[in-house]
Amino acid sequence: MSTEPAFVIVTGMSGAGRSTAAKALEDLGWFVIDNLPPGLLFAMAEEAGKVKLAADKVAAVVDVRSLAFTTDLNAAIEELEGRGVRVRVVFLEASDEELVRRFENVRRPHPLQAEGRLVDGITRERGILREVRANADLVIDTSSHNVHDLRNKIVAYFGGEDRPGLRLNVVSFGFKYGLPVDADLVVDCRFLPNPHWVPELRPMNGLEAPVRDYVLGQPGAKEFLDAYEEVLRVVATGYAREGKSYATLAVGCTGGKHRSVAMAEQVAARLRDRGMEVQVSHRDVGRE
């Protein structure tokens, strides 16, 4: 792993969990400043160096309330990297429906809605943040996460910064519920026969042995896993070379209950056998 100084910027949609992420980092021993204007990022990094804080455990949470947010943030990142600081941007987001629900629950207006509706503020913020999200090193969709889920994800990503290598999250999902928006790579397992149409397997999910054995015993299942493992070996090597520390691999089927779950578990097991650090989650199990 690179020994150059690292600096994490946590940003994203209002209501998506920035404060929860900041608290999780603090619990891990990070030095975190919340709601820092982008223009002060370099000053913070410089001050952290003066007091000899751990170079790879400094983070700032920044939000979009500045009208020049994108320009200011890009300039701050360029200044940091120009001084030899390795910057990593973590972007938190959630669906419009979930953000509306969260703001309504706390009875607070969106910081950008002004005299308009709550959804107007959310739409305006998405537009401002579009470029930042596109360039982020890690995107986390918190739509289906409670505070404990998000904290666990932050711990999984940042709890072992001293360990080398790429950390991977393999997530199964159902296409009928939409793609995971934080996925770096997506594969489709709908080419395999669906256990949903086998009466005795329908109530089960891909974590149970009868479904797993049925899915893995189908023509093409092993060939797919062999080929995808090789693809991931090449991709992981490239990610590491480019300095990417985290990646999310999404494995989908129709409902996210049978095929994708069994195959995601197999993908994760093969990656672990290669010595990679992997966590697995099943987004849509139990959703039906």
Side-chain angles (χ1 to χ4, degrees), residues 23-42:
K23 184 63 170 63
L25 287 172
E26 288 178 343
D27 290 344
L28 291 170
W30 285 58
F31 178 71
V32 182
I33 290 186
D34 203 353
N35 295 328
L36 188 71
L40 295 180
L41 285 171
F42 181 75

mmCIF file with all atom_site columns, all heavy atoms in Angstrom, residues 23-42:
data_model
loop_
_atom_site.group_PDB
_atom_site.id
_atom_site.type_symbol
_atom_site.label_atom_id
_atom_site.label_alt_id
_atom_site.label_comp_id
_atom_site.label_asym_id
_atom_site.label_entity_id
_atom_site.label_seq_id
_atom_site.pdbx_PDB_ins_code
_atom_site.Cartn_x
_atom_site.Cartn_y
_atom_site.Cartn_z
_atom_site.occupancy
_atom_site.B_iso_or_equiv
_atom_site.pdbx_formal_charge
_atom_site.auth_seq_id
_atom_site.auth_comp_id
_atom_site.auth_asym_id
_atom_site.auth_atom_id
_atom_site.pdbx_PDB_model_num
ATOM 1   N N   . LYS A 1 23 ? -19.132 10.154 12.328 1.00 0.00 ? 23 LYS A N   1
ATOM 2   C CA  . LYS A 1 23 ? -19.062 9.570  13.674 1.00 0.00 ? 23 LYS A CA  1
ATOM 3   C C   . LYS A 1 23 ? -18.408 8.200  13.640 1.00 0.00 ? 23 LYS A C   1
ATOM 4   O O   . LYS A 1 23 ? -17.613 7.849  14.545 1.00 0.00 ? 23 LYS A O   1
ATOM 5   C CB  . LYS A 1 23 ? -20.467 9.465  14.251 1.00 0.00 ? 23 LYS A CB  1
ATOM 6   C CG  . LYS A 1 23 ? -20.508 8.956  15.693 1.00 0.00 ? 23 LYS A CG  1
ATOM 7   C CD  . LYS A 1 23 ? -19.792 9.909  16.619 1.00 0.00 ? 23 LYS A CD  1
ATOM 8   C CE  . LYS A 1 23 ? -20.017 9.554  18.098 1.00 0.00 ? 23 LYS A CE  1
ATOM 9   N NZ  . LYS A 1 23 ? -19.484 8.234  18.472 1.00 0.00 ? 23 LYS A NZ  1
ATOM 10  N N   . ALA A 1 24 ? -18.695 7.412  12.616 1.00 0.00 ? 24 ALA A N   1
ATOM 11  C CA  . ALA A 1 24 ? -18.079 6.090  12.502 1.00 0.00 ? 24 ALA A CA  1
ATOM 12  C C   . ALA A 1 24 ? -16.568 6.212  12.341 1.00 0.00 ? 24 ALA A C   1
ATOM 13  O O   . ALA A 1 24 ? -15.801 5.439  12.937 1.00 0.00 ? 24 ALA A O   1
ATOM 14  C CB  . ALA A 1 24 ? -18.682 5.332  11.320 1.00 0.00 ? 24 ALA A CB  1
ATOM 15  N N   . LEU A 1 25 ? -16.117 7.175  11.538 1.00 0.00 ? 25 LEU A N   1
ATOM 16  C CA  . LEU A 1 25 ? -14.679 7.388  11.371 1.00 0.00 ? 25 LEU A CA  1
ATOM 17  C C   . LEU A 1 25 ? -14.044 7.831  12.687 1.00 0.00 ? 25 LEU A C   1
ATOM 18  O O   . LEU A 1 25 ? -12.941 7.387  13.036 1.00 0.00 ? 25 LEU A O   1
ATOM 19  C CB  . LEU A 1 25 ? -14.426 8.424  10.275 1.00 0.00 ? 25 LEU A CB  1
ATOM 20  C CG  . LEU A 1 25 ? -14.682 7.964  8.843  1.00 0.00 ? 25 LEU A CG  1
ATOM 21  C CD1 . LEU A 1 25 ? -14.586 9.143  7.879  1.00 0.00 ? 25 LEU A CD1 1
ATOM 22  C CD2 . LEU A 1 25 ? -13.707 6.866  8.432  1.00 0.00 ? 25 LEU A CD2 1
ATOM 23  N N   . GLU A 1 26 ? -14.721 8.710  13.408 1.00 0.00 ? 26 GLU A N   1
ATOM 24  C CA  . GLU A 1 26 ? -14.197 9.138  14.709 1.00 0.00 ? 26 GLU A CA  1
ATOM 25  C C   . GLU A 1 26 ? -14.059 7.957  15.657 1.00 0.00 ? 26 GLU A C   1
ATOM 26  O O   . GLU A 1 26 ? -13.070 7.844  16.401 1.00 0.00 ? 26 GLU A O   1
ATOM 27  C CB  . GLU A 1 26 ? -15.116 10.194 15.324 1.00 0.00 ? 26 GLU A CB  1
ATOM 28  C CG  . GLU A 1 26 ? -15.034 11.548 14.638 1.00 0.00 ? 26 GLU A CG  1
ATOM 29  C CD  . GLU A 1 26 ? -15.987 12.561 15.252 1.00 0.00 ? 26 GLU A CD  1
ATOM 30  O OE1 . GLU A 1 26 ? -16.921 12.136 15.979 1.00 0.00 ? 26 GLU A OE1 1
ATOM 31  O OE2 . GLU A 1 26 ? -15.799 13.759 15.002 1.00 0.00 ? 26 GLU A OE2 1
ATOM 32  N N   . ASP A 1 27 ? -15.032 7.052  15.646 1.00 0.00 ? 27 ASP A N   1
ATOM 33  C CA  . ASP A 1 27 ? -14.980 5.878  16.512 1.00 0.00 ? 27 ASP A CA  1
ATOM 34  C C   . ASP A 1 27 ? -13.810 4.966  16.145 1.00 0.00 ? 27 ASP A C   1
ATOM 35  O O   . ASP A 1 27 ? -13.340 4.185  16.991 1.00 0.00 ? 27 ASP A O   1
ATOM 36  C CB  . ASP A 1 27 ? -16.289 5.094  16.428 1.00 0.00 ? 27 ASP A CB  1
ATOM 37  C CG  . ASP A 1 27 ? -17.456 5.833  17.071 1.00 0.00 ? 27 ASP A CG  1
ATOM 38  O OD1 . ASP A 1 27 ? -17.205 6.785  17.824 1.00 0.00 ? 27 ASP A OD1 1
ATOM 39  O OD2 . ASP A 1 27 ? -18.617 5.465  16.787 1.00 0.00 ? 27 ASP A OD2 1
ATOM 40  N N   . LEU A 1 28 ? -13.360 5.055  14.899 1.00 0.00 ? 28 LEU A N   1
ATOM 41  C CA  . LEU A 1 28 ? -12.212 4.274  14.445 1.00 0.00 ? 28 LEU A CA  1
ATOM 42  C C   . LEU A 1 28 ? -10.887 4.976  14.739 1.00 0.00 ? 28 LEU A C   1
ATOM 43  O O   . LEU A 1 28 ? -9.826  4.467  14.383 1.00 0.00 ? 28 LEU A O   1
ATOM 44  C CB  . LEU A 1 28 ? -12.316 4.004  12.939 1.00 0.00 ? 28 LEU A CB  1
ATOM 45  C CG  . LEU A 1 28 ? -13.425 3.054  12.496 1.00 0.00 ? 28 LEU A CG  1
ATOM 46  C CD1 . LEU A 1 28 ? -13.562 3.060  10.984 1.00 0.00 ? 28 LEU A CD1 1
ATOM 47  C CD2 . LEU A 1 28 ? -13.149 1.633  12.995 1.00 0.00 ? 28 LEU A CD2 1
ATOM 48  N N   . GLY A 1 29 ? -10.961 6.141  15.377 1.00 0.00 ? 29 GLY A N   1
ATOM 49  C CA  . GLY A 1 29 ? -9.745  6.853  15.727 1.00 0.00 ? 29 GLY A CA  1
ATOM 50  C C   . GLY A 1 29 ? -9.304  7.897  14.729 1.00 0.00 ? 29 GLY A C   1
ATOM 51  O O   . GLY A 1 29 ? -8.189  8.422  14.830 1.00 0.00 ? 29 GLY A O   1
ATOM 52  N N   . TRP A 1 30 ? -10.169 8.246  13.786 1.00 0.00 ? 30 TRP A N   1
ATOM 53  C CA  . TRP A 1 30 ? -9.832  9.270  12.799 1.00 0.00 ? 30 TRP A CA  1
ATOM 54  C C   . TRP A 1 30 ? -10.045 10.666 13.381 1.00 0.00 ? 30 TRP A C   1
ATOM 55  O O   . TRP A 1 30 ? -10.895 10.879 14.248 1.00 0.00 ? 30 TRP A O   1
ATOM 56  C CB  . TRP A 1 30 ? -10.713 9.107  11.558 1.00 0.00 ? 30 TRP A CB  1
ATOM 57  C CG  . TRP A 1 30 ? -10.339 7.956  10.679 1.00 0.00 ? 30 TRP A CG  1
ATOM 58  C CD1 . TRP A 1 30 ? -10.266 6.642  11.039 1.00 0.00 ? 30 TRP A CD1 1
ATOM 59  C CD2 . TRP A 1 30 ? -10.005 8.019  9.292  1.00 0.00 ? 30 TRP A CD2 1
ATOM 60  N NE1 . TRP A 1 30 ? -9.903  5.875  9.958  1.00 0.00 ? 30 TRP A NE1 1
ATOM 61  C CE2 . TRP A 1 30 ? -9.743  6.692  8.871  1.00 0.00 ? 30 TRP A CE2 1
ATOM 62  C CE3 . TRP A 1 30 ? -9.922  9.045  8.375  1.00 0.00 ? 30 TRP A CE3 1
ATOM 63  C CZ2 . TRP A 1 30 ? -9.381  6.389  7.567  1.00 0.00 ? 30 TRP A CZ2 1
ATOM 64  C CZ3 . TRP A 1 30 ? -9.566  8.745  7.064  1.00 0.00 ? 30 TRP A CZ3 1
ATOM 65  C CH2 . TRP A 1 30 ? -9.296  7.438  6.669  1.00 0.00 ? 30 TRP A CH2 1
ATOM 66  N N   . PHE A 1 31 ? -9.269  11.614 12.884 1.00 0.00 ? 31 PHE A N   1
ATOM 67  C CA  . PHE A 1 31 ? -9.485  13.021 13.171 1.00 0.00 ? 31 PHE A CA  1
ATOM 68  C C   . PHE A 1 31 ? -10.410 13.558 12.093 1.00 0.00 ? 31 PHE A C   1
ATOM 69  O O   . PHE A 1 31 ? -10.065 13.568 10.915 1.00 0.00 ? 31 PHE A O   1
ATOM 70  C CB  . PHE A 1 31 ? -8.151  13.777 13.170 1.00 0.00 ? 31 PHE A CB  1
ATOM 71  C CG  . PHE A 1 31 ? -8.305  15.255 13.404 1.00 0.00 ? 31 PHE A CG  1
ATOM 72  C CD1 . PHE A 1 31 ? -8.669  15.748 14.640 1.00 0.00 ? 31 PHE A CD1 1
ATOM 73  C CD2 . PHE A 1 31 ? -8.084  16.162 12.370 1.00 0.00 ? 31 PHE A CD2 1
ATOM 74  C CE1 . PHE A 1 31 ? -8.808  17.103 14.860 1.00 0.00 ? 31 PHE A CE1 1
ATOM 75  C CE2 . PHE A 1 31 ? -8.224  17.518 12.563 1.00 0.00 ? 31 PHE A CE2 1
ATOM 76  C CZ  . PHE A 1 31 ? -8.587  17.998 13.821 1.00 0.00 ? 31 PHE A CZ  1
ATOM 77  N N   . VAL A 1 32 ? -11.619 13.993 12.492 1.00 0.00 ? 32 VAL A N   1
ATOM 78  C CA  . VAL A 1 32 ? -12.648 14.383 11.522 1.00 0.00 ? 32 VAL A CA  1
ATOM 79  C C   . VAL A 1 32 ? -13.167 15.777 11.856 1.00 0.00 ? 32 VAL A C   1
ATOM 80  O O   . VAL A 1 32 ? -13.467 16.073 13.016 1.00 0.00 ? 32 VAL A O   1
ATOM 81  C CB  . VAL A 1 32 ? -13.834 13.390 11.532 1.00 0.00 ? 32 VAL A CB  1
ATOM 82  C CG1 . VAL A 1 32 ? -14.865 13.775 10.485 1.00 0.00 ? 32 VAL A CG1 1
ATOM 83  C CG2 . VAL A 1 32 ? -13.345 11.966 11.302 1.00 0.00 ? 32 VAL A CG2 1
ATOM 84  N N   . ILE A 1 33 ? -13.276 16.620 10.838 1.00 0.00 ? 33 ILE A N   1
ATOM 85  C CA  . ILE A 1 33 ? -13.946 17.908 10.985 1.00 0.00 ? 33 ILE A CA  1
ATOM 86  C C   . ILE A 1 33 ? -15.192 17.894 10.116 1.00 0.00 ? 33 ILE A C   1
ATOM 87  O O   . ILE A 1 33 ? -15.129 17.582 8.920  1.00 0.00 ? 33 ILE A O   1
ATOM 88  C CB  . ILE A 1 33 ? -13.035 19.080 10.584 1.00 0.00 ? 33 ILE A CB  1
ATOM 89  C CG1 . ILE A 1 33 ? -11.907 19.240 11.614 1.00 0.00 ? 33 ILE A CG1 1
ATOM 90  C CG2 . ILE A 1 33 ? -13.838 20.374 10.495 1.00 0.00 ? 33 ILE A CG2 1
ATOM 91  C CD1 . ILE A 1 33 ? -11.040 20.445 11.377 1.00 0.00 ? 33 ILE A CD1 1
ATOM 92  N N   . ASP A 1 34 ? -16.333 18.231 10.719 1.00 0.00 ? 34 ASP A N   1
ATOM 93  C CA  . ASP A 1 34 ? -17.609 18.216 10.005 1.00 0.00 ? 34 ASP A CA  1
ATOM 94  C C   . ASP A 1 34 ? -17.929 19.605 9.462  1.00 0.00 ? 34 ASP A C   1
ATOM 95  O O   . ASP A 1 34 ? -17.538 20.628 10.039 1.00 0.00 ? 34 ASP A O   1
ATOM 96  C CB  . ASP A 1 34 ? -18.716 17.764 10.964 1.00 0.00 ? 34 ASP A CB  1
ATOM 97  C CG  . ASP A 1 34 ? -19.922 17.197 10.226 1.00 0.00 ? 34 ASP A CG  1
ATOM 98  O OD1 . ASP A 1 34 ? -19.954 17.277 8.979  1.00 0.00 ? 34 ASP A OD1 1
ATOM 99  O OD2 . ASP A 1 34 ? -20.826 16.683 10.903 1.00 0.00 ? 34 ASP A OD2 1
ATOM 100 N N   . ASN A 1 35 ? -18.629 19.635 8.315  1.00 0.00 ? 35 ASN A N   1
ATOM 101 C CA  . ASN A 1 35 ? -19.095 20.883 7.689  1.00 0.00 ? 35 ASN A CA  1
ATOM 102 C C   . ASN A 1 35 ? -17.962 21.874 7.441  1.00 0.00 ? 35 ASN A C   1
ATOM 103 O O   . ASN A 1 35 ? -18.071 23.064 7.761  1.00 0.00 ? 35 ASN A O   1
ATOM 104 C CB  . ASN A 1 35 ? -20.188 21.531 8.541  1.00 0.00 ? 35 ASN A CB  1
ATOM 105 C CG  . ASN A 1 35 ? -21.447 20.688 8.609  1.00 0.00 ? 35 ASN A CG  1
ATOM 106 O OD1 . ASN A 1 35 ? -21.779 19.981 7.654  1.00 0.00 ? 35 ASN A OD1 1
ATOM 107 N ND2 . ASN A 1 35 ? -22.133 20.715 9.731  1.00 0.00 ? 35 ASN A ND2 1
ATOM 108 N N   . LEU A 1 36 ? -16.895 21.391 6.866  1.00 0.00 ? 36 LEU A N   1
ATOM 109 C CA  . LEU A 1 36 ? -15.752 22.255 6.560  1.00 0.00 ? 36 LEU A CA  1
ATOM 110 C C   . LEU A 1 36 ? -15.905 22.830 5.153  1.00 0.00 ? 36 LEU A C   1
ATOM 111 O O   . LEU A 1 36 ? -16.124 22.081 4.195  1.00 0.00 ? 36 LEU A O   1
ATOM 112 C CB  . LEU A 1 36 ? -14.448 21.454 6.642  1.00 0.00 ? 36 LEU A CB  1
ATOM 113 C CG  . LEU A 1 36 ? -13.153 22.257 6.531  1.00 0.00 ? 36 LEU A CG  1
ATOM 114 C CD1 . LEU A 1 36 ? -12.947 23.090 7.793  1.00 0.00 ? 36 LEU A CD1 1
ATOM 115 C CD2 . LEU A 1 36 ? -11.961 21.332 6.308  1.00 0.00 ? 36 LEU A CD2 1
ATOM 116 N N   . PRO A 1 37 ? -15.803 24.148 4.972  1.00 0.00 ? 37 PRO A N   1
ATOM 117 C CA  . PRO A 1 37 ? -15.845 24.717 3.617  1.00 0.00 ? 37 PRO A CA  1
ATOM 118 C C   . PRO A 1 37 ? -14.687 24.168 2.782  1.00 0.00 ? 37 PRO A C   1
ATOM 119 O O   . PRO A 1 37 ? -13.569 24.008 3.298  1.00 0.00 ? 37 PRO A O   1
ATOM 120 C CB  . PRO A 1 37 ? -15.686 26.221 3.858  1.00 0.00 ? 37 PRO A CB  1
ATOM 121 C CG  . PRO A 1 37 ? -16.110 26.425 5.269  1.00 0.00 ? 37 PRO A CG  1
ATOM 122 C CD  . PRO A 1 37 ? -15.700 25.183 6.009  1.00 0.00 ? 37 PRO A CD  1
ATOM 123 N N   . PRO A 1 38 ? -14.912 23.876 1.495  1.00 0.00 ? 38 PRO A N   1
ATOM 124 C CA  . PRO A 1 38 ? -13.844 23.320 0.654  1.00 0.00 ? 38 PRO A CA  1
ATOM 125 C C   . PRO A 1 38 ? -12.575 24.157 0.670  1.00 0.00 ? 38 PRO A C   1
ATOM 126 O O   . PRO A 1 38 ? -11.463 23.611 0.620  1.00 0.00 ? 38 PRO A O   1
ATOM 127 C CB  . PRO A 1 38 ? -14.480 23.280 -0.742 1.00 0.00 ? 38 PRO A CB  1
ATOM 128 C CG  . PRO A 1 38 ? -15.941 23.151 -0.480 1.00 0.00 ? 38 PRO A CG  1
ATOM 129 C CD  . PRO A 1 38 ? -16.199 23.951 0.763  1.00 0.00 ? 38 PRO A CD  1
ATOM 130 N N   . GLY A 1 39 ? -12.717 25.488 0.748  1.00 0.00 ? 39 GLY A N   1
ATOM 131 C CA  . GLY A 1 39 ? -11.542 26.347 0.714  1.00 0.00 ? 39 GLY A CA  1
ATOM 132 C C   . GLY A 1 39 ? -10.613 26.174 1.891  1.00 0.00 ? 39 GLY A C   1
ATOM 133 O O   . GLY A 1 39 ? -9.455  26.632 1.841  1.00 0.00 ? 39 GLY A O   1
ATOM 134 N N   . LEU A 1 40 ? -11.076 25.524 2.967  1.00 0.00 ? 40 LEU A N   1
ATOM 135 C CA  . LEU A 1 40 ? -10.248 25.342 4.154  1.00 0.00 ? 40 LEU A CA  1
ATOM 136 C C   . LEU A 1 40 ? -9.651  23.939 4.251  1.00 0.00 ? 40 LEU A C   1
ATOM 137 O O   . LEU A 1 40 ? -8.998  23.615 5.245  1.00 0.00 ? 40 LEU A O   1
ATOM 138 C CB  . LEU A 1 40 ? -11.071 25.625 5.414  1.00 0.00 ? 40 LEU A CB  1
ATOM 139 C CG  . LEU A 1 40 ? -11.567 27.065 5.581  1.00 0.00 ? 40 LEU A CG  1
ATOM 140 C CD1 . LEU A 1 40 ? -12.376 27.195 6.868  1.00 0.00 ? 40 LEU A CD1 1
ATOM 141 C CD2 . LEU A 1 40 ? -10.397 28.043 5.589  1.00 0.00 ? 40 LEU A CD2 1
ATOM 142 N N   . LEU A 1 41 ? -9.867  23.109 3.232  1.00 0.00 ? 41 LEU A N   1
ATOM 143 C CA  . LEU A 1 41 ? -9.372  21.734 3.289  1.00 0.00 ? 41 LEU A CA  1
ATOM 144 C C   . LEU A 1 41 ? -7.855  21.675 3.410  1.00 0.00 ? 41 LEU A C   1
ATOM 145 O O   . LEU A 1 41 ? -7.305  20.915 4.216  1.00 0.00 ? 41 LEU A O   1
ATOM 146 C CB  . LEU A 1 41 ? -9.833  20.957 2.047  1.00 0.00 ? 41 LEU A CB  1
ATOM 147 C CG  . LEU A 1 41 ? -11.308 20.544 2.032  1.00 0.00 ? 41 LEU A CG  1
ATOM 148 C CD1 . LEU A 1 41 ? -11.683 19.984 0.663  1.00 0.00 ? 41 LEU A CD1 1
ATOM 149 C CD2 . LEU A 1 41 ? -11.595 19.517 3.116  1.00 0.00 ? 41 LEU A CD2 1
ATOM 150 N N   . PHE A 1 42 ? -7.163  22.470 2.598  1.00 0.00 ? 42 PHE A N   1
ATOM 151 C CA  . PHE A 1 42 ? -5.706  22.407 2.659  1.00 0.00 ? 42 PHE A CA  1
ATOM 152 C C   . PHE A 1 42 ? -5.198  22.902 4.008  1.00 0.00 ? 42 PHE A C   1
ATOM 153 O O   . PHE A 1 42 ? -4.267  22.326 4.583  1.00 0.00 ? 42 PHE A O   1
ATOM 154 C CB  . PHE A 1 42 ? -5.058  23.218 1.533  1.00 0.00 ? 42 PHE A CB  1
ATOM 155 C CG  . PHE A 1 42 ? -3.559  23.146 1.582  1.00 0.00 ? 42 PHE A CG  1
ATOM 156 C CD1 . PHE A 1 42 ? -2.890  22.004 1.179  1.00 0.00 ? 42 PHE A CD1 1
ATOM 157 C CD2 . PHE A 1 42 ? -2.811  24.207 2.084  1.00 0.00 ? 42 PHE A CD2 1
ATOM 158 C CE1 . PHE A 1 42 ? -1.500  21.913 1.257  1.00 0.00 ? 42 PHE A CE1 1
ATOM 159 C CE2 . PHE A 1 42 ? -1.434  24.133 2.163  1.00 0.00 ? 42 PHE A CE2 1
ATOM 160 C CZ  . PHE A 1 42 ? -0.781  22.980 1.748  1.00 0.00 ? 42 PHE A CZ  1
#
